[in-house]
Amino acid sequence: MENSGTFWLPRAASTYAADVDGLFYFILWTSVVIFALVVFGLIYLSIRYKKRGKTELTAGISHNTKLELTWTIIPTLLILVVFVWGFRGYMKMRVVPKDAIEIRVTAQKWFWSFDYQEGINSVGELVVPAGKPIKLLISSRDVIHSLFVPDFRLKMDAVPNRYTIAWFQADELGEYQLYCTEYCGTEHSKMLGKVRVLSQGDYENWVNENSQLGQGLTLEEFGRQLYENKGCMPCHSLDGTTKIGPSFKGIFGHEVQLTSGETVIVDENYIRESILNPQAKIVAGFQPVMPPYQGILKPQEVDALIAFIKSLKE
Ligand code: CUA
C-alpha cells in the first residue's frame, strides 16, 4: 500500500506511527480551535465593548463562577486525554516485543554501522524484514548522535559509553531515509543512511549473501566489494578525481606529502594505518575528517582493501 504522507507529516510506515499521528492531529486541531476561540473572541469583545465616552463605564465585575469552572474543567479534561493517549503510545514505543530481531547500531563521525547476529556488518544501510519487530541496541563511538527515521516516527539518541534501545516494525516494503538528528560536527548533515525493508524471503537471501561476503572472490575483488559497501566510495575516487579524500588511483608505491610537511611512501603499513587510524598521517591539502575503522573492519578485510588499492595502477 503506497502512502506518501500528508501536508503535516511524512508517510506512516511503522506499526506505531498511526498512534503518534493520531495524537499529533488531536493536539493540532484542539490548538487550532482554542486559538480561533481566543482570537475571534478578543476581536469581538474589543469591538462590542469599545469605550464610547465617559458616561459608558463597565460595571465592577469581581468573578463569574460558571465561566471560571468552564475554562478550568475543559482544559483539564483535554490535558488528561493528551496524557493518557501519549502515555499509552509511549509505552508501545518503549516496550520491545519479545520476538524482536536484535541489531546493534553504532554511530560515529560520520556514519552509521549495523551489526547483525549472523556476524554481518552493514555500513550506512539498515536492512530488515517486513512484518517483524526489530530491536535496535544503539551506541556511539565518539560524540552524541541521534538516529532518526521520520517515516517510522523513530528517534533515539546514540550516546557514547552506554546503550539506548529503540524498536520498530515496518510492514511496507521499500526504502526509508535515515538521518542523524543531533549536531555532531562538520559532516553532520551528510551522516545519512537508508532503511531497506525487504520481504522475508529477500531478507533471508540478503543475510545468506552477506554472511558469505568475500567467499569465492580473490582478495582484490573482495577489496572492491568492501570499497563499495563500507563507505569508502563517496570520498575516494578510483579515477584520479579529488573528492573529500585523495583518489586511490595509482597511489601505491608513490610518495605523498603530509600536512606536517613530511613525506611518506604509500605502502601496506601506511594504508593499514590510514584505514584504522586516519588522523595519524593526513595528506597535504585534505581535512582530517575520515572516521577510524578500528573495530569495524576485520584484519582480512583490511588486507583485501590493501590488495584492491595496490591493483589500481595509473
Ligand atoms: Cu551524527 Cu549528527
Side-chain angles (χ1 to χ4, degrees):
M1 191 182 70
E2 194 54 39
N3 116 34
S4 56
T6 64
F7 175 77
W8 303 104
L9 292 166
R11 69 172 155 160
S14 72
T15 45
Y16 52 62
D19 299 276
V20 177
D21 295 6
L23 182 55
F24 171 81
Y25 285 120
F26 177 76
I27 296 173
L28 176 74
W29 292 117
T30 41
S31 305
V32 167
V33 169
I34 292 170
F35 176 81
L37 284 173
V38 170
V39 170
F40 290 108
L42 186 75
I43 294 170
Y44 169 74
L45 293 173
S46 315
I47 296 167
R48 177 83 170 73
Y49 295 104
K50 187 173 184 298
K51 192 179 172 189
R52 291 192 180 84
K54 285 218 166 108
T55 52
E56 275 185 77
L57 293 176
T58 312
I61 302 163
S62 66
H63 70 277
N64 182 323
T65 308
K66 264 189 210 161
L67 201 59
E68 284 164 16
L69 283 175
T70 311
W71 78 44
T72 305
I73 291 169
I74 293 179
T76 304
L77 289 177
L78 285 175
I79 284 166
L80 283 173
V81 169
V82 169
F83 170 74
V84 172
W85 198 336
F87 187 71
R88 290 172 68 141
Y90 175 78
M91 290 307 282
K92 200 163 171 180
M93 294 171 91
R94 295 309 307 150
V95 179
V96 184
K98 274 216 175 74
D99 56 338
I101 297 175
E102 188 174 301
I103 300 174
R104 282 270 297 114
V105 181
T106 309
Q108 73 180 86
K109 294 176 180 178
W110 282 279
F111 63 84
W112 295 98
S113 92
F114 305 97
D115 286 286
Y116 291 73
Q117 269 146 351
E118 292 83 358
I120 300 168
N121 166 268
S122 166
V123 172
E125 198 177 61
L126 172 60
V127 179
V128 298
K132 282 269 167 64
I134 310 294
K135 174 182 175 182
L136 303 175
L137 193 57
I138 307 166
S139 65
S140 165
R141 287 165 68 97
D142 38 46
V143 298
I144 300 180
H145 303 267
S146 186
L147 180 91
F148 183 32
V149 186
D151 291 347
F152 295 170
R153 314 291 185 262
L154 169 71
K155 188 187 265 186
M156 185 48 71
D157 276 0
V159 184
N161 299 319
R162 69 191 281 181
Y163 295 115
T164 48
I165 292 169
W167 80 277
F168 68 90
Q169 177 176 328
D171 290 339
E172 291 174 43
L173 306 187
E175 259 195 22
Y176 304 90
Q177 185 66 50
L178 180 153
Y179 298 88
C180 176
T181 185
E182 180 73 56
Y183 182 69
C184 54
T186 48
E187 303 288 308
H188 157 72
S189 62
K190 291 184 192 150
M191 191 168 162
L192 305 171
K194 281 266 179 310
V195 183
R196 251 170 65 209
V197 179
L198 304 178
S199 67
Q200 186 62 35
D202 286 348
Y203 176 73
E204 277 159 23
N205 289 340
W206 180 86
V207 167
N208 281 334
E209 273 167 34
N210 282 273
S211 47
Q212 294 163 4
L213 200 70
Q215 279 182 20
L217 297 180
T218 67
L219 211 51
E220 278 176 32
E221 288 166 340
F222 184 33
R224 176 180 287 275
Q225 208 174 56
L226 294 166
Y227 165 79
E228 289 165 0
N229 293 333
K230 298 286 178 185
C232 317
M233 196 157 63
C235 300
H236 299 282
S237 78
L238 300 181
D239 60 2
T241 322
T242 298
K243 293 189 180 174
I244 294 166
S247 175
F248 286 162
K249 189 187 177 190
I251 55 168
F252 194 83
H254 285 75
E255 228 179 40
V256 287
Q257 178 101 38
L258 304 177
T259 44
S260 62
E262 292 167 275
T263 55
V264 60
I265 301 277
V266 180
D267 60 8
E268 287 88 349
N269 280 314
Y270 172 71
I271 297 176
R272 183 175 178 279
E273 182 183 45
S274 297
I275 293 171
L276 300 180
N277 178 23
Q279 314 293 323
K281 298 190 177 79
I282 303 290
V283 176
F286 293 93
Q287 295 296 314
V289 293
M290 180 171 153
Y293 276 79
Q294 186 82 55
I296 292 187
L297 294 176
K298 300 184 190 92
Q300 66 268 34
E301 295 177 321
V302 175
D303 291 346
L305 278 166
I306 292 171
F308 172 59
I309 292 171
K310 264 188 196 173
S311 74
L312 301 165
K313 300 274 153 43
E314 276 187 86

